[in-house]
Amino acid sequence: NHLQQGIWIPHCICAMISQFYILSLRGDTIITRDFRGDVVKGTAEIFFRKVKFWHGDAPPIFNLDGVTYVFIKKNGLYFVATTCHNIPPAAVVELLTKMAKVFKDFCGVLNEESIRKNFVLVYELLDEMVDYGYPQTTNTEHLKSCIHNEAVVIEAPKTGLNLPQWNPRTVPSNAVHRPVGPTQNDSKSKKNEIFVDILERISVLMSSNGFVINSSIDGSIQMKSYLMGNPELKLALNEDIMVKNMDLGGSHGGYGSVILDDCNFHECVDLQDFSDLRTLSFYPPDGEFAVMNYRITGDFRVPFRIFPFAEQQAPYKIEITIKVRADIPEQNYGGNVQIYCMLPKTSASVSTELAVSAGQSAEYLASEHRLVWNIKKFQGGTEAAIKCRVTLSAPISNIQNIKKEVGPVSLTYEIPMYNVSNLQVRYLRIAERHKSYNPCRWVRYVTQSSSYVCRF
Amino acid sequence: MKHVVMPPSIAITLHGLLSTVWRFSASNPIFAAQTGPSATGRLPSVPSVITGGMVALRQKQNDGKFFQTTKRGEIQELKEELHANDKQKQKDAVKKVIANMTVGKDVSALFADVVNCIQTDNVELKKLVYLYVMNYAKAQPELAILAINTFRKDATDPNPLIRSLAVRTMGCIRLDQVTEYLLEPLRRCCQDHDPYVRKTSAICIPKVYDINPELVDDQGFIEILKDLLGDGNPMVVANAVAGLAEISQTCGRDLLELDKGNIPKLLAALNECNEWGQVFILDALATYEPSGANDAESITERVTARLSHANPAVVLTAIKVILKCMEHTENPEVLRMLAKKLNPPLVTLLSSEPEVQYVALRNIRLIVQKRPGILASDVKMFFCKYNDPIYVKLEKVDIMCMLVSDRNFDQVLLELKEYASGVDVEFVRKSVRSIGRVAVKLERACERAMNVLLELIETKVNYVVQESCVVVKDIFRKYPSRYEQVLSALCESMEALDEPEAKASMIWILGEYAGRIDNADELLESFLDTFHDEPLMVQMQLLTAIVKLFLQKPSSTQDMVSKVLQCATEESTNHDLRDRGYIYWRLLATNPEATKRVVLGDKPSIRDDSQYIDKNLLERLSSELSLMSSVYHKYADEFVTRLTLTGAGEDKAAAEDDLDEEDRQASRRAAQEELERGPGVRNGADVGGGLDLLDLGGVGDDSPSRASASAQKVQVLPATQAGQHGQQGFAVSAAFVRQRGTANLLMTFSNQSSGPLSGFAIQVNKNSFGFAPKEALVCPDILPGSSADVCVPMAAGQLPSNTPPASPLLLQVAIKTSLDIFYFHVQFDLSTVLLEDAALSRDEFTPIWQRVGEGGQKVTMINLDRPLDAETLKGRLQAENICYVAQRQLDDGSVLLYTSAQTVNNCSVLSEVTVSGASRQVKVAIRTEAAVLIPLYEAMLSKKLAG
């Protein structure tokens, strides 16, 4: 017994992934690479069968006959790693995520067709990213120097996003489907531009009287750089920004200052000037990356308030009214707002009445007992309301009982050019500027719903 | 390491299908070289056979080629293109070859042609060829050697990319011949001036170690790797750390040897290397024992900055380092500060993708149990979002229950109530159970929880009511004689109960509160009619409840109690139920007053620790935070199937046996506690099985000497059966068993003829295992009317019949006597051919188990003569030479035994035996590469275990 002999074998990572593969949603193996040869063959089929027939969502990590499977699902593809060792699963999940991103950076778009068309490039990338199962680098910039294959460009699929055209100066950065590496039709001059997104995802839980029970913002500053010569950039945030977990100097924000609960930064970011000037400096790597992620849980003005009412009118009839108010500046609007509400299982027929019908629609999905209400464009400072008359197949004794079966009301939306936290990019500069060097900078703010729920 | 190599003849019989291949291979030397491993049952790969053709290509071909097969045409076409002078064409051809390779077509026939393209200055083409060589070197070792010179040349190329490419690829070709040639370039590349080459070389050393550990040791590569720890380039350091950690784990020695000398080097590299390097370095740092508080604090200072890294693996590993350092700090102020620093990054992990959230949540459970102060005020962060996947929701609810306190229980209960009115059944059940856990944990929350439960029961949703019923029972158990207003609501919804656990709980409540429920007798009686249809768990509770009722209302329930006692003792076939029935019966008959004190006495209080992890396991897991074991909440040995070197492996096995003993004790304690608690808090273990009232299963242990004790001979030749020449009067009983390592044919000859018998000789017919007598039959003359016992030791592998064994196993025997020659056959069990002490180690077990897979598995239920616990069963199996390999305790209390058995001709039969509590059945999953043995193995088990 070596423990008694005083020999201590550290319990640490003693290997990493054994196999990697990309599967289509039908289970076809598109890419497969065995890094260590210590896991049996044929695990791709075993994996697919298991996940396919899992009751509910399969957890991202599971063990089957001594083989651990870790996977993520992205763009209609499974990225799977297997191992038979005690390895750090968070690292594997992150590795798979980064791999997907690198493939996207190099192929332009990430889907089955692009991976199939670029399989040689993908294998080349794989061997540079992972050696003997150990991740080496997933940095697009570093990879570019040792990759020789050129990407076969695939036409980007039309995104389902049917947002109305807003400011033509802003282009959504994820609409840029251009490979970072050399491509076969590289003759077109490269555009010198950089895209910055301040993206905030809002989670809110409200009670029926509009009181906010729980709320949080998950924010991220995303960047995609096509700058020539990879210059150093300086990105300045609000001067009064505070981070609870850090001792920052400078002005201690008073009323209205942005207070972050926590934040983290991309590894390229130099934080030297952050505490004094609230400025981040970095050499942007090629491809898409998150400069900074942050989290806010304090009080903030929730962009939409929901007021639901339920009223009993006869033993078989109830009336449900939902009012929604957009608490955002008048010049902003919520795009593609969808409001869902669960109705009682005993609902026999449902009729809806909209206060304003232009640009709005409502329907009742009987199979799911769900009311769906769409508002194409929800202008700031306005209100919208729906009345919904429900005839039930069974009588109800009192309204309290039926309230249990109605709701919750949930909301999905996207608000362009607005962010709830008020975190701002004061400027984005190239550290040493030359006259001739004048790149296009695209900065946009987007607020999205994550889990936006109001209980009855 | 025991290879499963069978004598060829047996292999032919066992794998009848293979026999043709075998013969073919003998006449084809190249083939024979490859066929070696096929003795294990694998078919040799046949070069140039390609399955499936390409329709498109076929259409392209002109009519003249119509009769040529497409496959052949394609290979030929590629071959020509590979030899083209145009580099672009060559490159395209290699790409096509690789395309075929990746979709699973066999293009190994083109090996020589592809390798031909390797000498090129075009890096892109070179990389393609390398990719191909890596994939097929194993199938074409002779040809792979041809590429070696190019590899060696490339390892000195002026371009660092090519140098490292050569080293990387050579390391991936897992052939001894190649490894030898790799040593010298590898040594040189470890000192290369380019860090990219050094980093590739560093990770190449564990590759070589995996192929040939002695070589790495002898050639001093371990020292080289240690030197690389001090390299100036952080990525080289990170790979050296990873390499040393892996080799340490394999060889069982700590090679990292972290001390005050090299820690600063690692800390310096930590700040500069990329995220993956940081993960490896942090992980290594977490194994370092700081020398004191100052040392610990200085490490913490350097590591804290990593908490705001965007990579969750870096954050989790950094947390592990800090938690480790906290163990060496006693200053409460410092500890409080550190704990506070850990909260935000942990919560931030919950904003990542659900996959990362899941990992984080599983780790948070460990952290919260280990350091209860952390996250204590953040319970709100664990409230479920409606769009969380179910696996995240279930984890969050568990953590909510761990963080619940007098300050926040209102909020938590309100949340749980919301979840309990949701749609996902699994999640709803979990939420209801969690309400119960909150109540059992916090007395102050109990009132509120009861109200919530009452509301839930009133919804009349079937599974909510059933789940609530179980939960209410737990609460009654913890807080007796309170909240009785729930009773009426429960009694009203009794009709809805159809799940055993809910029913059992309801019956327990009825018995416990029989004095306060007016019609308790009627309600209980309604169950009595269907007593024998109920699951054991319900029967047990019904028995106890009616006895309790009788003690409280003796006058009106006399009939009922005698009926239930009769049902339990005379009509039931279950031991536990009968035993419990008898005990009550005797108690009641002897001293009713004392019975009251026993049955209605105060029961020990219950505690909810179902979500808490055993202390030893917790210690181990918190040192392995962020690793896979921290997600599974299991010892790594239970799921890691790594092949270790024999020496270390044995040590490990010994250590694990100690652990197993502890586990067993723990499980016994758990059973004891369960007994004391009565049907109180369930932890999922009592589903399907009742309580073992006096732990009778463990007593009366069978000594494992059954087989070696005298075997039961059966008559194989009656005196009335005539011999070869028509003579009668010779009778034989025989048994063919294994005794002390030898297969013995035991026979009793009896002479029922008129004259004495002499001149005995024995012969056996050819048989599947090739048994033949080791020595001549020695038997004294037998007088008429008397008999003699003889024992003939048999040796296997002497007289093979080259047919697979049939079920039952028979040995055909001929005995020559002075009277006549008599023929008979002796039936025997598989255990006769199982070797002693042939237990496979875990490391040998797993590959076979996996190779056979679920596809080749046979699952069977074996009825036992009585319930057995795992220990007894282990003994009984051992007696049949079915050796114990490992065991595992399942969450529901049942134990999985893994066993191996090896036949005299080296076929292994593996099995997984599931023993669950008081059940009289065990589930056996059998896996073997010799499928013919399965029915024999099954027959043996059911015979030996059914007693």
Side-chain angles (χ1 to χ4, degrees), chain A residues 26-27 49 86 91 101 107 126 132 166 176 182-183 254 265 297 302 307 323 337 366 432 435:
Chain A
R26 296 180 309 279
R49 232 180 298 134
N86 193 14
K101 178 194 154 287
C107 302
L126 265 180
Y132 199 45
W166 2 293
V176 182
T183 55
F265 301 93
T297 50
V302 299
F307 304 96
K323 247 192 240 172
V337 180
E432 286 160 40
K435 275 215 173 102

Side-chain angles (χ1 to χ4, degrees), chain A residues 12-13 36 65 128 134 262, chain B residues 124 196 246 283 348 850:
Chain A
C12 58
I13 303 171
R36 296 177 61 97
D65 282 332
E128 294 297 339
Y134 292 98
D262 188 30
Chain B
E124 190 189 347
Y196 184 78
E246 175 169 343
D283 198 70
T348 299
Q850 284 176 0

Side-chain angles (χ1 to χ4, degrees), chain A residues 1-2 4-5 7-16 29-30 32-33 36-37 40 55-74 83-91 93-95 97-98 119-120 123-124 127-128 131-132 134-138 145-150 201 203 205 213-214 216 218 245-246 261-267 293 295 297 342 345 404 410-412 450-453 455-456, chain B residues 95 98-99 102 123-124 127-128 131 134 161 168 172 174 196 199-200 203 206-207 210 235 239 242 245-246 248-249 252-254 256 273-276 278-280 283-284 287 308-313 316 320 340-341 343-345 347-348 351 353-356 358-359 380-381 383 385-387 389-391 414-415 418-419 423 455 459 620 623-624 626-629 631-632 636 639-642 648 651-652 655 658 849-851 853-854 927:
Chain A
N1 186 324
H2 41 246
Q4 282 164 0
Q5 289 161 9
I7 302 168
W8 166 248
I9 303 171
H11 298 290
C12 58
I13 303 171
C14 59
M16 277 293 281
T29 310
I30 304 170
T32 168
R33 183 83 173 81
R36 296 177 61 97
V40 287
H55 178 73
D57 287 336
I61 295 144
F62 58 87
N63 190 306
L64 217 72
D65 282 332
V67 177
T68 293
Y69 297 82
V70 183
F71 77 100
I72 62 167
K73 223 165 128 176
K74 263 218 156 72
T83 183
C84 55
H85 305 276
N86 193 14
I87 64 169
V93 170
E94 188 66 15
L95 175 64
T97 315
K98 290 269 165 70
F119 74 95
V120 183
Y123 278 113
E124 192 183 5
D127 276 338
E128 294 297 339
D131 193 0
Y132 199 45
Y134 292 98
Q136 298 297 303
T137 178
T138 47
S145 64
C146 41
I147 293 298
H148 296 82
N149 274 289
E150 291 174 359
R201 293 167 55 79
S203 291
L205 178 61
I213 301 170
N214 206 357
S216 65
D218 288 322
N245 206 25
M246 288 185 194
D261 279 50
D262 188 30
C263 60
N264 59 44
F265 301 93
H266 190 269
E267 58 184 352
N293 294 305
R295 184 167 57 76
T297 50
M342 295 297 288
K345 290 197 184 69
K404 282 180 197 144
S410 60
L411 225 74
T412 60
S450 163
S451 161
Y452 207 92
V453 177
R455 286 176 183 161
F456 250 89
Chain B
K95 278 189 186 176
I98 290 177
T102 55
V123 185
E124 190 189 347
K127 275 188 146 180
L128 292 173
L131 182 63
M134 245 188 284
L161 281 183
R168 189 169 76 199
C172 292
R174 302 173 56 82
Y196 184 78
K199 128 194 146 146
T200 311
I203 212 71
K207 289 185 199 173
D210 195 44
M235 269 318 288
N239 276 358
E246 175 169 343
S248 299
Q249 209 70 211
R253 280 179 293 145
D254 177 17
L256 270 169
C273 66
N274 73 20
E275 47 192 322
W276 307 113
Q278 293 186 15
V279 171
F280 294 122
D283 198 70
T287 64
S308 55
H309 199 286
N311 185 326
L316 265 178
K320 170 160 70 173
K340 216 177 130 208
K341 281 210 164 129
N343 288 345
V347 176
T348 299
S351 329
E353 314 87 88
E355 290 87 1
V356 173
Y358 177 71
V359 175
K380 260 185 160 183
M381 301 299 153
F383 289 179
K385 294 181 184 172
Y386 85 102
N387 52 354
I390 181 73
Y391 55 80
L414 205 67
E415 277 298 305
E418 281 295 331
Y419 305 157
V423 279
E455 278 180 54
T459 61
R620 175 71 172 272
S623 76
E624 289 176 14
S626 86
L627 297 190
M628 205 67 93
S629 43
V631 171
Y632 292 146
F639 60 89
V640 168
T641 49
R642 183 187 173 77
D651 275 356
K652 231 186 195 165
D658 295 345
W849 185 258
Q850 284 176 0
R851 208 152 55 222
E854 264 180 41
R927 293 191 189 183

